[in-house]
């Protein structure tokens, strides 16, 4: 499967480019032309990332977990193209990159489950011990 690379930067949902370009030097396969990331594009990307972090950070846990699951699904939907391009760029064998992709997708889903369960909140509960000596312990929640 071939994938048509844009050679551009995706910033805040829009493909953009700078005037300067560079040619890739893959381990194998065709060289490609990419837009260089100049200071103005980096600044725009950083500002867009900050704005997105507020939206994501204030989203409900379920929405954040669903977002991670969606990323995993999109990676899997493009698995063949990602592996093909990765093999060309790095020279690594297909099996190695498929394993790395599986690990990445697994971690995204693990983090999504971690968020859904609220484990990252580090909640703790020490139930009351009313008969404890020398003093009873109250119900403690952190």
């Amino acid at each position: 499967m071939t994938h048509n690379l844009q050679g551009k930067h995706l910033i805040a949902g829009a493909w953009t480019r700078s005037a300067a370009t560079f040619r890739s030097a893959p381990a194998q396969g065709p060289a490609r032309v990419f837009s260089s990331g100049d200071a103005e594009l980096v600044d725009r990307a950083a500002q867009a990332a900050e704005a997105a972090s507020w939206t994501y950070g204030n989203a409900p846990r379920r929405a954040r977990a669903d977002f991670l699951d969606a990323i995993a699904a999109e990676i899997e939907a493009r698995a063949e193209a990602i592996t093909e391009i990765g093999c060309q760029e790095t020279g690594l064998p297909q099996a190695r990159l498929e394993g790395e992709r599986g690990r990445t997708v697994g971690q995204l889903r693990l983090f999504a489950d971690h968020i859904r369960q609220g484990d990252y909140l580090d909640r703790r509960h020490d139930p009351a011990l009313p008969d404890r000596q020398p003093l009873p312990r109250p119900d403690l929640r952190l």
Side-chain angles (χ1 to χ4, degrees):
M1 172 184 203
T2 58
H3 182 72
N4 184 17
L5 294 176
Q6 297 289 320
K8 300 176 186 176
H9 307 276
L10 182 61
I11 300 174
W15 289 103
T16 186
R17 68 173 62 215
S18 66
T21 61
F22 69 93
R23 189 171 195 78
S24 69
Q28 59 194 22
R32 295 178 175 93
V33 176
F34 293 95
S35 170
S36 296
D38 59 20
E40 189 267 332
L41 286 176
V42 171
D43 185 57
R44 283 178 40 202
Q47 288 181 32
E50 181 180 13
S53 73
W54 286 103
T55 302
Y56 182 78
N58 290 317
R61 286 194 334 228
R62 171 113 187 165
R64 286 183 270 159
D66 289 348
F67 180 68
L68 293 176
D69 281 335
I71 293 170
E74 291 294 330
I75 290 171
E76 286 179 329
R78 293 164 174 77
E80 200 173 304
I82 290 170
T83 300
E84 178 186 345
I85 293 167
C87 288
Q88 290 173 358
E89 289 179 354
T90 66
L92 291 171
Q94 179 178 341
R96 164 78 185 274
L97 293 177
E98 287 171 350
E100 292 294 331
R101 186 183 65 241
R103 179 187 56 78
T104 299
V105 168
Q107 287 179 337
L108 286 166
R109 291 199 169 112
L110 178 73
F111 295 148
D113 289 343
H114 189 72
I115 289 170
R116 277 190 194 93
Q117 294 168 11
D119 294 343
Y120 69 99
L121 297 171
D122 196 26
R123 292 180 285 202
R124 298 176 194 188
H125 178 219
D126 293 328
L129 297 173
D131 298 329
R132 187 179 85 166
Q133 295 298 320
L135 295 171
R137 180 178 75 196
D139 187 63
L140 300 172
R141 295 173 189 261
L142 172 65

